Amino acid sequence: MEEWDKLYPGWLKLALKIAYNIDDYRFRLGAVLVKGGSVIAKGRNRQSKHYNFEMFRGLHAEIAALRWVSPNVSRNSYLYVGRLRMDNTIGLALPCSNCMNMITRKRIKKIIYTTDTGGYKVLSL
């Protein structure tokens, strides 16, 4: 985790730390919603007994972070999404189409996500 300090912006590091602390799920992703320099929501991938928000019987980190946030609150915010593989290497955290639909409805300004090459990308909406 120390190398993250040099490679990733602060809020993306927080998303990766959330993912790092997941030990009960195959896909380890963390999401952090930031507005005005403050965290307004966090989420992580998790298995769920309810299937209304889920795909493949799991709740995606982006949905977990955004589902209770009003579009008025999330407007012009930044969403940071980080993924760790089971061997703790960085993986691709580009949101799926279902998550992108919610992100669009919530009026998020930018998504910052990890790539499968160990870097990160910024997607402006």
Side-chain angles (χ1 to χ4, degrees), residues 3-110:
E3 67 273 9
W4 296 350
D5 291 334
K6 299 173 189 167
L7 298 174
Y8 303 107
W11 300 119
L12 189 55
K13 283 186 284 193
L14 178 57
L16 287 168
K17 287 177 184 176
I18 291 168
Y20 182 79
N21 289 318
I22 299 171
D23 59 2
D24 62 344
Y25 199 57
R26 185 173 110 194
F27 298 101
R28 299 186 310 155
L29 283 94
V32 179
L33 186 63
V34 176
K35 184 174 183 179
S38 297
V39 173
I40 57 175
K42 295 185 279 187
R44 54 158 278 200
N45 273 28
R46 65 184 68 210
Q47 290 182 332
S48 178
K49 295 176 183 159
H50 305 285
Y51 301 118
N52 55 343
F53 288 109
E54 296 78 31
M55 189 170 157
F56 306 117
R57 292 188 247 199
L59 181 63
H60 289 197
E62 303 93 328
I63 302 293
L66 296 174
R67 65 183 171 166
W68 306 117
V69 177
S70 156
N72 292 330
V73 172
S74 61
R75 173 183 275 146
N76 293 322
S77 61
Y78 289 30
L79 182 65
Y80 295 83
V81 188
R83 176 182 176 191
L84 285 177
R85 296 183 186 107
M86 294 310 288
D87 64 359
N88 286 329
T89 58
I90 304 296
L92 180 63
L94 178 65
C96 72
S97 61
N98 288 335
C99 290
M100 284 300 292
N101 286 335
M102 179 172 272
I103 289 166
T104 302
R105 286 194 313 269
K106 298 290 184 167
R107 302 176 187 151
I108 307 298
K109 185 175 184 177
K110 290 186 181 183

